[in-house]
Amino acid sequence: MATHSETDVLVIGAGAGGAAMSKRLSDGGVKVTCLEQGDWLHPMNHPHMYDGWELERLRTWSWHPNVRMFPEDYPTTGNAAPMMMNGVGGSTLHYAGAWPRFKPVDFRKGTEHGLEGTIDWPISYEDLEPFYAINDAEIGVARRVGDPGNPPRPEGWGPASRGGKVGRKMGRGFDELGWHWWPADNAILTREKNNRMACNDCGFCLGGCPRHAIASTDVSYWPKALANGVDLRVNARVETITTANGRATGAVYIDRTTGARSEVRAKIVVLAANSIGTPRLLLLSAQKGYPDGLANSNGLVGTHLMFHSWSFEDYWFDEPLEGFKGPEPAVLYSQEFYDTDPSRGFVNGFSLQVGTALGAANSALGTNTGKIAPWGAGHREFFNKHFAHHALVYVQGEDLPVRTNRVTIDPAVVDSSGLPVPHVHYDLHENDRRLITWGQERAREAAEAAGPVIDMATTGIGGVGGPPPGWHIMGTCRMGNTPEDSVTNKWNQTWDVPNLFITDASSLTTGAAVNPTSTLQAVSVRAAEYIKRRFADITSQTKTPSNADAPDF
Ligand SMILES: Cc1cc2nc3c(=O)[nH]c(=O)nc-3n(C[C@H](O)[C@H](O)[C@H](O)COP(=O)(O)OP(=O)(O)OC[C@H]3O[C@@H](n4cnc5c(N)ncnc54)[C@H](O)[C@@H]3O)c2cc1C
């Protein structure tokens, strides 16, 4: 190898999980190097600032790397469309910042129903609660406390995002039916923090926020991690995690600008390359002693992929709601149907989240569901009735972690560095199909109660006949209870390689019925705290302890 360097902890991936890990470790003085295959992307260069922003988000800025095809991206093959971003900030570079937490019941789904190999998490909500709070404070959550449907949460950095007319409208619908609802937590500043300005309600948050109000990790975590001295190397695509004597020794990466290979040697390696990139790298790291890939002696790496079962419901009302203003993630949510009720014919439940709209082009082009304004005669009438009269309700369901929904390697296709790409297979389970169908009916009921509805449309169940849209990619290297049922223990430590940790969305045991990032970051902060406090033990450990005898902090 031409060049090599040494560090205490090597973090792979600078996205949601990797940024939280790097910052927390470096707060404690740990020497950290982070390798990220993408580059910095200034918020002013996001499509938010383009003239054709409503169209560019579908083309050059698509959430799906196969459409976007930036050099730092890697394509995927298979029947699913995992959506992600590769750069400093990872997929938070184009996320919406919806910030709900998992509920206590979400950590016990193995005991509750155990369907399709669902297992309990090895930790509880109470174990994670302090780390949710630490992470919320870092990102500057917007929140109204007091939700009766969830455990108490600390005050937010600022008040909840403005619900606007859309929020008031749907809130009245839920009230009419006597259903739970509450203003949503969002990772969007409603009060200035450090060098980030508060949200000004300009909308299109998924196109990047020029005010740095939305907590993508390039503006929330990374400035502090860099100030702590973290060595962040961009355009550094990891090819293999190296090992010797049953322990990880570091990684070999390709500099995407020169093609040169270098090695970073580390005492501990933390993988945070997301639920597609992490299993891909473990499988590509097959080597002597690990013929089926690293940390994969039980064959579980890549399995139990989850996306959330999903439906977008567009409703148009007879009054203007100005949905083009305000934050793009949910302004409020109802968790009336969150818990399992077997009489409905399925297990698990869903959230109904109420969101805003985009601009005029989006309205004419079919909003979220493909309800396109007619061309020629009738266009003006349709447009006048529909534009700004719209509310989005999305049904976000907990999908089962099914073993055959999985990431494997497709040796026939390579990325721009010549590395084989992941193949992603996902079939929606019958349970999840039933759940979403029932949820769509409840969403309609709420809209009609808010009424009068003049028009409505739906995406149907998941994608058009295929898997759900893959914007919440979870599972694939789940944490669990024994070396037989999972890839890592309760501290995110792989069972096979004791100094190799996984702290991104791939480690989530189940996916709950809410957006995942606040939870995966809380898990990452918790693992960082463990690594910091038990550093000496981990660096000499030869076998990962069982959860029963895993030492506490
Ligand atoms: C359109 C959209 C909207 C979303 N909205 C929300 C929302 O409102 N709320 C919410 O909670 N979640 C949302 N999400 C999901 C959220 O973005 C993800 O849950 C989160 O970013 C996942 O974090 P992660 O750490 O697993 O991976 P990522 O954030 O994707 O980070 C992984 C990083 O690893 C890097 N990497 C991968 N392979 C390599 C390699 N070989 N070498 C070096 N680097 C590598 C990647 O380049 C990337 O930067 C949304 C996602 C999308 C697509």
Side-chain angles (χ1 to χ4, degrees):
M1 195 59 52
T3 56
H4 83 264
S5 54
E6 296 193 358
T7 191
D8 284 343
V9 179
L10 171 65
V11 177
I12 300 171
M21 169 62 66
S22 301
K23 157 71 168 56
R24 191 75 189 167
L25 284 176
S26 58
D27 278 345
V30 177
K31 185 176 171 193
V32 179
T33 299
C34 177
L35 299 176
E36 167 53 54
Q37 68 184 343
D39 207 337
W40 286 93
L41 189 78
H42 194 278
M44 291 296 278
N45 294 332
H46 286 227
H48 191 111
M49 305 304 286
Y50 298 178
D51 289 342
W53 58 274
E54 287 190 274
L55 300 179
E56 294 312 323
R57 79 191 175 90
L58 303 172
R59 299 189 303 219
T60 50
W61 198 259
S62 167
W63 300 313
H64 189 12
N66 287 16
V67 178
R68 195 174 62 222
M69 305 238 308
F70 291 168
E72 62 269 32
D73 291 329
Y74 53 91
T76 59
T77 60
N79 74 340
M83 303 196 207
M84 55 182 149
M85 190 74 184
N86 300 300
V88 178
S91 305
T92 68
L93 287 169
H94 62 184
Y95 81 157
W99 209 244
R101 292 184 183 183
F102 285 20
K103 289 182 179 232
V105 66
D106 292 323
F107 296 80
R108 303 189 296 265
K109 291 289 176 163
T111 303
E112 183 191 285
H113 59 71
L115 272 188
E116 289 288 354
T118 305
I119 58 170
D120 284 345
W121 285 60
I123 57 175
S124 65
Y125 177 85
E126 291 70 26
D127 290 327
L128 209 49
E129 203 286 329
F131 303 97
Y132 273 122
I134 293 170
N135 192 51
D136 286 353
E138 292 277 7
I139 61 101
V141 69
R143 163 177 299 149
R144 181 186 293 182
V145 295
D147 177 0
N150 277 283
R153 302 174 187 188
E155 286 287 345
W157 173 259
S161 307
R162 201 179 63 91
K165 292 183 182 173
V166 170
R168 285 200 290 281
K169 184 83 180 160
M170 286 306 302
R172 276 198 295 275
F174 292 132
D175 279 345
E176 204 50 44
L177 295 163
W179 292 357
H180 163 270
W181 70 271
W182 198 255
D185 284 5
N186 283 320
I188 294 181
L189 292 182
T190 48
R191 182 161 75 90
E192 190 178 311
K193 186 178 197 312
N194 303 333
N195 292 323
R196 300 168 52 208
M197 286 186 278
C199 175
N200 65 351
D201 277 359
C202 66
F204 190 32
C205 311
L206 277 79
C209 176
R211 299 170 68 84
H212 299 196
I214 192 163
S216 49
T217 61
D218 55 332
V219 301
S220 60
Y221 267 115
W222 274 111
K224 299 178 225 163
L226 294 179
N228 283 347
V230 174
D231 172 16
L232 170 61
R233 301 186 194 174
V234 296
N235 299 312
R237 176 172 272 155
V238 175
E239 179 180 40
T240 326
I241 297 167
T242 52
T243 67
N245 305 320
R247 297 177 54 79
T249 52
V252 173
Y253 71 93
I254 301 167
D255 181 329
R256 285 193 315 97
T257 58
T258 63
R261 282 178 167 74
S262 303
E263 185 180 4
V264 178
R265 293 180 193 157
K267 294 175 183 147
I268 294 174
V269 176
V270 178
L271 192 45
N274 88 25
S275 304
I276 307 294
T278 286
R280 176 198 191 203
L281 204 44
L282 290 171
L283 295 172
L284 287 180
S285 297
Q287 55 197 272
K288 192 163 172 261
Y290 304 98
D292 301 319
L294 216 49
N296 196 28
S297 62
N298 59 12
L300 288 181
V301 165
T303 64
H304 301 103
L305 169 68
M306 297 167 285
F307 280 148
H308 283 142
S309 49
W310 198 274
S311 180
F312 274 143
E313 304 287 306
D314 282 331
Y315 301 111
W316 290 270
F317 292 90
D318 70 341
E319 60 180 302
L321 298 177
E322 297 177 351
F324 49 83
K325 286 188 195 163
E328 210 181 346
V331 291
L332 61 89
Y333 58 89
S334 168
Q335 293 186 331
E336 182 70 21
F337 306 104
Y338 197 90
D339 293 335
T340 294
D341 175 349
S343 71
R344 295 181 194 140
F346 54 84
V347 299
N348 295 333
F350 54 89
S351 296
L352 294 172
Q353 289 176 304
V354 176
T356 55
L358 294 175
N362 184 58
S363 186
L365 287 171
T367 318
N368 303 289
T369 52
K371 181 102 186 174
I372 298 175
W375 198 236
H379 180 87
R380 178 184 290 270
E381 192 194 344
F382 178 97
F383 192 78
N384 286 348
K385 274 192 181 159
H386 287 73
F387 176 58
H389 287 235
H390 166 262
L392 166 67
V393 179
Y394 42 108
V395 188
Q396 181 168 191
E398 176 170 1
D399 53 343
L400 292 171
V402 176
R403 185 168 177 149
T404 49
N405 288 339
R406 66 184 301 182
V407 178
T408 50
I409 296 294
D410 187 342
V413 184
V414 293
D415 66 16
S416 59
S417 306
L419 305 181
V421 305
H423 178 92
V424 185
H425 181 85
Y426 185 103
D427 292 320
L428 194 66
H429 194 278
E430 179 55 25
N431 180 78
D432 307 332
R433 195 176 298 280
R434 283 195 217 137
L435 180 154
I436 286 295
T437 308
W438 200 84
Q440 289 171 322
E441 289 162 11
R442 300 293 77 73
R444 251 166 261 153
E445 211 177 319
E448 275 159 359
V453 176
I454 56 163
D455 202 358
M456 61 173 72
T458 175
T459 49
I461 302 161
V464 187
W471 27 62
H472 298 160
I473 319 169
M474 304 168 291
T476 72
C477 289
R478 68 184 182 185
M479 60 156 73
N481 304 288
T482 68
E484 288 75 43
D485 71 9
S486 51
V487 177
T488 82
N489 74 359
K490 67 177 181 178
W491 298 110
N492 298 70
Q493 202 174 6
T494 63
W495 295 109
D496 291 357
V497 186
N499 65 336
L500 174 63
F501 288 71
I502 296 174
T503 65
D504 53 24
S506 70
S507 67
L508 303 185
T509 314
T510 56
V514 291
N515 318 54
T517 309
S518 72
T519 298
L520 80 89
Q521 283 193 329
V523 168
S524 191
V525 172
R526 178 175 177 273
E529 205 53 34
Y530 181 74
I531 292 172
K532 237 166 45 181
R533 298 198 198 177
R534 313 269 337 163
F535 191 83
D537 297 338
I538 298 165
T539 49
S540 57
Q541 210 172 319
T542 52
K543 187 173 164 295
T544 302
S546 75
N547 282 339
D549 24 87
D552 213 329
F553 288 148

